[in-house]
């Protein structure tokens, strides 16, 4: 049994503030250890539950945050940028039996600690076929096309509630309770590690590839915080303006859908100016 862990940072233990997750800050250096603790706890739990292999895919910012030297020696870690499936890279090779979303968070424009979708602030909402979409929901559709079930989700309490929508059968662990976008009631890393390890052990029992799910066509709509970003986004073929600050596109598969999403967010982020956005 092989488990893939997609590891994002905003939903990690103790993390509530932008500097906690921005590479290069002193607080990020401290929070890397908390993030690593969550991910390692999940890996240990999956091994407890019978996994033979655990591959960790770094999914936050520059994708170079976890402390490899503090991880269990049985894991392997994919670190660094430029991967065709981004946050769920590694799921496409036909050998993954289950995936865990560790350290995930809620979507742009919704309640939740450090809520956003891909870009920290410029995207104010994402909808998939008319439903509000978090990164978890988008990635759940990608992995479903490879027949891989989401077996575990960790993050704040609202992230767990969001995951009930896209992975109702998965085990969930809330490592903190949302108070505001930048505040949470946090539990200690020793406690959350125990909770995550126990849940991952149970979640291993949910692993097992199923037939690929073709849920398309997928219409993805994005809303930005400034009008010029709409103009920037619509240079991507297939996108069209659907409002003053909105664009949409339709893809037959989520594989294509997530790649177009990446193209749009890359171009939009290059059009964001300091202060004015
Ligand atoms: Zn994220």
């Amino acid at each position: 049994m092989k488990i893939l862990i997609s590891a994002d940072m905003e939903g990690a233990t103790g993390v509530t503030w932008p500097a906690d997750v921005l590479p290069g800050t002193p607080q990020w250096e401290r929070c890397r250890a908390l993030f690593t603790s969550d991910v390692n706890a999940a890996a240990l739990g999956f091994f407890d539950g019978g996994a033979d292999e655990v591959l960790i895919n770094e999914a936050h910012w520059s994708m170079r945050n976890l402390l490899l030297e503090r991880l269990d020696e049985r894991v392997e870690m994919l670190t660094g940028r430029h991967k065709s499936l981004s946050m769920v890279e590694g799921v496409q090779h036909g050998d993954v039996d289950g995936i865990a979303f560790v350290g995930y968070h809620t979507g742009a424009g919704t309640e939740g600690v450090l809520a956003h979708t891909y870009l920290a602030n410029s995207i104010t909402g994402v909808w998939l076929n008319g439903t509000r979409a978090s990164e978890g929901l988008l990635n759940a559709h990608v992995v479903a096309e490879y027949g891989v079930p989401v077996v575990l989700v960790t993050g704040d309490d609202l992230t767990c509630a969001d995951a009930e929508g896209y992975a109702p059968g998965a085990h969930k662990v809330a490592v903190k309770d949302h108070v505001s976008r930048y505040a949470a009631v946090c539990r200690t890393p020793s406690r959350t590690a125990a909770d995550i390890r126990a849940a991952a052990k149970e979640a291993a029992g949910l692993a097992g590839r199923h037939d690929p799910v073709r849920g398309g066509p997928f219409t993805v709509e994005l809303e930005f915080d400034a009008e010029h970003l709409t103009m920037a986004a619509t240079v991507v073929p297939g996108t069209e303006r659907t409002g003053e600050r909105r664009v949409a596109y339709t893809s037959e598969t989520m594989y294509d859908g997530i790649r177009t999403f990446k193209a749009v967010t890359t171009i939009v982020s290059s059009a964001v100016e300091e202060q004015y956005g």
Side-chain angles (χ1 to χ4, degrees):
M1 181 201 309
K2 180 174 180 176
I3 301 292
L4 178 64
I5 296 176
S6 173
D8 205 356
M9 193 168 183
E10 286 87 353
T13 295
V15 167
T16 72
W17 193 254
D20 295 349
V21 295
L22 286 173
T25 67
Q27 192 64 8
W28 169 77
E29 286 288 355
R30 172 177 165 263
C31 290
R32 298 173 77 184
L34 299 175
F35 180 30
T36 303
S37 171
D38 286 6
V39 170
N40 197 51
L44 290 172
F46 286 123
F47 286 125
D48 291 345
D52 306 298
E53 291 179 72
V54 174
L55 174 65
I56 298 160
N57 177 35
E58 287 224 45
H60 174 70
W61 207 267
S62 60
M63 303 192 175
R64 297 171 63 241
N65 308 274
L66 290 167
L67 300 167
L68 179 64
E69 59 274 28
R70 294 197 193 178
L71 294 171
D72 186 89
E73 65 181 14
R74 292 168 290 180
V75 309
E76 291 189 310
M77 185 174 84
L78 172 54
T79 188
R81 290 188 64 186
H82 309 303
K83 302 172 286 192
S84 64
L85 283 182
S86 190
M87 297 181 75
V88 293
E89 176 70 19
V91 79
Q92 67 267 49
H93 305 304
D95 61 349
V96 172
D97 301 293
I99 187 165
F101 295 165
V102 172
Y104 269 46
H105 50 82
T106 53
T110 69
E111 277 194 310
V113 177
L114 293 163
H116 70 286
T117 304
Y118 283 81
L119 303 184
N121 203 41
S122 308
I123 294 174
T124 54
V126 177
W127 291 264
L128 179 67
N129 292 342
T131 300
R132 275 264 189 194
S134 60
E135 291 165 16
L137 184 140
L138 295 172
N139 287 328
H141 281 286
V142 176
V143 302
E145 290 182 351
Y146 296 96
V148 176
V150 180
V151 298
L152 174 70
V153 180
T154 79
D156 71 1
D157 55 334
L158 298 183
T159 300
C160 294
D162 178 53
E164 288 298 332
Y166 63 77
H171 289 263
K172 285 100 183 170
V173 179
V175 300
K176 55 197 172 191
D177 294 331
H178 165 265
V179 173
S180 76
R181 193 175 185 215
Y182 298 136
V185 177
C186 297
R187 290 176 269 289
T188 63
S190 57
R191 180 169 160 197
T192 58
D195 290 347
I196 293 170
R197 182 171 183 166
K201 182 181 178 183
E202 294 295 317
L206 300 174
R209 282 193 297 282
H210 51 70
D211 290 335
V213 176
R214 296 286 179 198
F218 298 103
T219 295
V220 178
E221 186 164 31
L222 297 91
E223 182 186 74
F224 306 113
D225 68 351
E227 185 279 334
H228 74 287
L229 300 180
T230 307
M231 185 172 288
T234 49
V235 304
V236 177
T239 60
E240 62 173 349
R241 175 188 285 257
T242 52
E244 196 168 37
R245 291 179 291 109
R246 286 182 177 228
V247 300
Y249 61 89
T250 299
S251 302
E252 284 306 310
T253 67
M254 207 55 209
Y255 171 73
D256 282 337
I258 206 75
R259 290 192 306 156
T260 302
F261 195 87
K262 185 80 178 168
V264 168
T265 54
T266 299
I267 286 174
V268 163
S269 61
S270 73
V272 174
E273 304 297 335
E274 271 187 45
Q275 305 299 331
Y276 278 77

